[in-house]
Amino acid sequence: MLKLIHLEIKKHKLFNYWLGVLIANISIIALMSMIFIIEKIELNMPFEDFNMMMSMSDTLIRATFLIFSSIIMVKIIIEEYKSNLMSIMFTYPISRKKILLSKLTIVVIFTFTTIMFSSLLMGVGVYLLNPMIHIVPESISGENVVAFLTTSFFGALATAGLSLIPLFFGMRKKSSTATIVSAILLATLTGSSIDGVSMLQLISMLISLGIIGIIIGYLAVRNIEHVDI
């Protein structure tokens, strides 16, 4: 299994996507900086406290990498179905289930890792910069950062499961567009807020969608032996 995952990463040169991850993080930081500067110019306090700022950045991070993971899914699964590469792979003396499971594992690990990396970057960055440029009016303790990263850990786990939901739409017609558009709609839906609280911040919503994604991934792997490619 680990060898299959390694071969998939090497074949699709997935480590190159970390440049895109860095660019996405720079874009998120640029957007947060723009909000900070505009509010400062208008003599407003941009963020009421550390939790408010980090929940906003957390929502952006999860939505960004939910869409990003759908692009990975298109690259390693949907496009291979469309080009019949998958049918060639299924002639190898390796079970279909292992091949598909290795690809889905890559998507899940990519989503979880990128969200945690970005959360760590943002949390530690704000912690270090706040004494110099007063991003939030309060002092930030190490405990604040640890609490944020703990929340991000469970959120990243749930979002990793959630990232498999676009597989359902993409596989129906072997469509790259359907996969990415469904991820964008999912990111929009979960990024919306009710009374100032993002849907992605509602742990019950996150867990429910994560479970749905895992079920979709499980059914795809379970049924792959009987699918006519």
Side-chain angles (χ1 to χ4, degrees), residues 3-72:
K3 192 172 182 180
L4 273 176
I5 292 174
H6 176 71
L7 288 173
E8 285 291 328
I9 291 173
K10 190 174 179 182
K11 182 174 73 175
H12 294 287
K13 301 178 180 175
L14 295 181
F15 281 118
N16 293 344
Y17 281 77
W18 275 93
L19 176 61
V21 172
L22 288 175
I23 293 172
N25 273 291
I26 291 171
S27 301
I28 292 170
I29 292 170
L31 180 59
M32 297 296 290
S33 300
M34 196 180 303
I35 294 171
F36 176 78
I37 292 169
I38 291 174
E39 291 295 318
K40 278 286 186 182
I41 290 174
E42 295 179 354
L43 301 178
N44 297 322
M45 179 52 72
F47 309 106
E48 292 178 3
D49 52 34
F50 178 72
N51 289 334
M52 176 188 177
M53 181 189 176
M54 299 318 294
S55 65
M56 187 182 294
S57 66
D58 199 37
T59 300
L60 287 172
I61 288 169
R62 291 185 204 172
T64 299
F65 292 107
L66 178 59
I67 297 171
F68 209 137
S69 67
S70 73
I71 295 172
I72 299 292

Side-chain angles (χ1 to χ4, degrees), residues 6 15 20 78 80 88 95 103 136 139 162 167 172 176 211 226:
H6 176 71
F15 281 118
I78 307 299
E80 289 201 346
I88 295 173
S95 119
K103 291 174 179 291
V136 294
S139 61
L162 191 158
L167 178 71
R172 289 178 69 85
S176 304
I211 291 173
H226 310 292

Side-chain angles (χ1 to χ4, degrees), residues 32 36 40 45-50 53-54 122 125-138 140:
M32 297 296 290
F36 176 78
K40 278 286 186 182
M45 179 52 72
F47 309 106
E48 292 178 3
D49 52 34
F50 178 72
M53 181 189 176
M54 299 318 294
M122 188 67 72
V126 172
Y127 173 73
L128 294 176
L129 291 175
N130 194 55
M132 293 178 276
I133 57 178
H134 305 295
I135 300 170
V136 294
E138 60 185 359
I140 303 171

Side-chain angles (χ1 to χ4, degrees), residues 17-213:
Y17 281 77
W18 275 93
L19 176 61
V21 172
L22 288 175
I23 293 172
N25 273 291
I26 291 171
S27 301
I28 292 170
I29 292 170
L31 180 59
M32 297 296 290
S33 300
M34 196 180 303
I35 294 171
F36 176 78
I37 292 169
I38 291 174
E39 291 295 318
K40 278 286 186 182
I41 290 174
E42 295 179 354
L43 301 178
N44 297 322
M45 179 52 72
F47 309 106
E48 292 178 3
D49 52 34
F50 178 72
N51 289 334
M52 176 188 177
M53 181 189 176
M54 299 318 294
S55 65
M56 187 182 294
S57 66
D58 199 37
T59 300
L60 287 172
I61 288 169
R62 291 185 204 172
T64 299
F65 292 107
L66 178 59
I67 297 171
F68 209 137
S69 67
S70 73
I71 295 172
I72 299 292
M73 185 181 290
V74 165
K75 176 77 174 177
I76 67 176
I77 300 177
I78 307 299
E79 289 295 332
E80 289 201 346
Y81 270 103
K82 289 172 66 178
S83 63
N84 287 325
L85 278 174
M86 193 68 86
S87 59
I88 295 173
M89 290 184 70
F90 285 166
T91 62
Y92 297 165
I94 304 172
S95 119
R96 289 185 178 191
K97 289 182 178 179
K98 280 190 176 179
I99 293 174
L100 184 58
L101 183 59
S102 66
K103 291 174 179 291
L104 294 181
T105 302
I106 289 172
V107 174
V108 169
I109 291 176
F110 176 84
T111 308
F112 175 80
T113 306
T114 51
I115 290 175
M116 282 310 298
F117 168 77
S118 305
S119 298
L120 182 64
L121 184 69
M122 188 67 72
V124 174
V126 172
Y127 173 73
L128 294 176
L129 291 175
N130 194 55
M132 293 178 276
I133 57 178
H134 305 295
I135 300 170
V136 294
E138 60 185 359
S139 61
I140 303 171
S141 65
E143 286 77 12
N144 291 135
V145 178
V146 171
F148 164 68
L149 292 177
T150 302
T151 304
S152 296
F153 175 81
F154 291 106
L157 274 181
T159 309
L162 191 158
S163 68
L164 297 180
I165 292 179
L167 178 71
F168 173 79
F169 299 99
M171 289 292 284
R172 289 178 69 85
K173 293 187 178 180
K174 299 180 177 63
S175 168
S176 304
T177 304
T179 307
I180 295 174
V181 169
S182 61
I184 292 172
L185 291 176
L186 202 53
T188 304
L189 172 67
T190 52
S192 59
S193 61
I194 300 174
D195 293 333
V197 179
S198 164
M199 298 280 277
L200 272 178
Q201 292 173 265
L202 299 175
I203 192 65
S204 57
M205 173 65 72
L206 265 180
I207 292 174
S208 300
L209 290 174
I211 291 173
I212 290 172

